[in-house]
Amino acid sequence: MFYLAAEKNVNTFEKIVAFLGKTAERPKPYGTFHVVSLIIILAACAVVILLRARITDKVIAYAMLISGIIMFVFEVYKQVVMSYNPVNDTWKYPWYIFPFQFCSTPIYLTFIAFVMYKIRKREAFKTLSAFLGTYSLIGAFTVLFVGTQSVLSNEIGINIQSMLHHGIMFVLAVMILSSGTVSFNVKTGVNTFKIFTILVVIAIFLNKIYGNGKEFDMFYLAPDSTFVYPVFNKFFGGKLPHIVYTIGYIVLFGSASSFIVYVGNLVKKIKK
């Protein structure tokens, strides 16, 4: 990538943005970059598990705050870099990166959870912790181990941001689940599902107002989504009603989260 340094209309800020948006060959899933990233993430998880006895609510709360700050800073970087094209010196916001995809929600929820901890709203803090330990784990796992191709690009910094963001989600979830701060019971499953449902409703509302499946597709639930919906639609001969797809999406995430709670409860019983 290069920027028009010789052009007078390219200011210093744009030169910095262009520099931060340097490109290279696009990494391949389970190539060197991806594998090294996974090793670092899993090593961090191992450390967290080994130190789980020392992880208190306070530690988790401040881990959330630090995680939220890091994710926020790198999200701002992503938003700026992907909005500028240094080849022709133009700014255009790509609405598909609007920060309200499912994996963007931990940026907000970590801050909210920290506030709940500070004002001593214990129940709210526990529920948000449980959500970040279950649903966020699902989202991070899907990106890190299954759908990595969708987040890798030829922009070096964006690849780092993607691995860092989802890596933080994954490690934070492991920290929460291994610390014992989450109660593995039906109440936890119900409360976290409520948060997930609220987020889905917001995404559907945003898609309804600003919807354009090619550019604005929050949670990939837009009726004209070009990412996930068409894949499932093919299995039904192009006749899968969007409402059925949406319900299936909610049930799938809810079931996966319930499975994590079930496994957590099973492990707890085995320990006893």
Side-chain angles (χ1 to χ4, degrees):
M1 177 175 285
F2 61 91
Y3 53 81
L4 304 180
E7 296 292 336
K8 295 181 179 179
N9 61 334
V10 179
N11 57 47
T12 302
F13 176 71
E14 290 170 338
K15 292 178 181 179
I16 294 173
V17 173
F19 175 77
L20 293 174
K22 281 188 173 182
T23 61
E25 183 180 351
R26 183 175 184 175
K28 296 179 180 179
Y30 292 97
T32 302
F33 172 75
H34 185 199
V35 171
V36 171
S37 298
L38 291 181
I39 291 173
I40 294 172
I41 292 167
L42 293 176
C45 289
V47 172
V48 164
I49 293 173
L50 289 174
L51 298 177
R52 63 187 181 279
R54 302 181 182 181
I55 301 175
T56 62
D57 284 358
K58 182 178 181 179
V59 171
I60 290 176
Y62 279 92
M64 287 178 178
L65 176 62
I66 294 170
S67 297
I69 292 172
I70 295 173
M71 288 189 287
F72 174 77
V73 170
F74 276 86
E75 183 64 35
V76 171
Y77 156 81
K78 172 185 173 181
Q79 297 290 319
V80 174
V81 168
M82 294 189 70
S83 298
Y84 180 60
N85 185 346
V87 175
N88 53 21
D89 187 32
T90 57
W91 288 88
K92 182 180 179 181
Y93 185 70
W95 283 97
Y96 67 88
I97 66 168
F98 184 77
F100 198 77
Q101 293 294 4
F102 179 75
C103 287
S104 302
T105 57
I107 298 175
Y108 317 114
L109 296 181
T110 48
F111 288 122
I112 296 174
F114 179 75
V115 171
M116 292 299 103
Y117 172 78
K118 294 300 289 184
I119 63 176
R120 302 181 185 280
K121 296 292 184 178
R122 181 177 174 80
E123 191 66 28
F125 172 72
K126 291 290 186 181
T127 299
L128 288 166
S129 296
F131 180 89
L132 291 168
T134 54
Y135 283 90
S136 289
L137 180 67
I138 298 166
F141 179 86
T142 302
V143 172
L144 292 173
F145 296 95
V146 183
T148 314
Q149 181 65 34
S150 64
V151 299
L152 294 176
S153 72
N154 62 349
E155 293 181 302
I156 300 171
I158 298 302
N159 291 326
I160 294 173
Q161 183 271 337
S162 296
M163 289 297 106
L164 181 64
H165 182 99
H166 295 93
I168 286 175
M169 286 174 61
F170 195 84
V171 175
L172 183 61
V174 170
M175 176 185 288
I176 292 170
L177 294 175
S178 63
S179 68
T181 191
V182 172
S183 298
F184 298 109
N185 52 37
V186 175
K187 182 179 180 181
T188 294
V190 172
N191 288 340
T192 54
F193 185 72
K194 288 178 181 178
I195 294 177
F196 177 65
T197 303
I198 292 172
L199 295 173
V200 168
V201 170
I202 293 173
I204 292 174
F205 181 71
L206 291 173
N207 288 334
K208 185 71 174 178
I209 297 176
Y210 305 105
N212 181 337
K214 293 182 179 180
E215 295 182 3
F216 193 93
D217 185 9
M218 300 303 99
F219 280 42
Y220 305 116
L221 285 174
D224 52 351
S225 173
T226 60
F227 187 60
V228 180
Y229 177 46
V231 177
F232 286 95
N233 201 17
K234 287 181 180 179
F235 290 107
F236 294 87
K239 297 180 180 180
L240 176 64
H242 184 263
I243 183 64
V244 175
Y245 162 72
T246 302
I247 293 173
Y249 178 98
I250 295 172
V251 171
L252 182 63
F253 268 92
S255 299
S257 174
S258 297
F259 179 72
I260 293 174
V261 173
Y262 169 76
V263 171
N265 186 49
L266 190 62
V267 171
K268 188 176 180 180
K269 288 182 177 179
I270 292 173
K271 284 185 177 180
K272 287 183 178 181

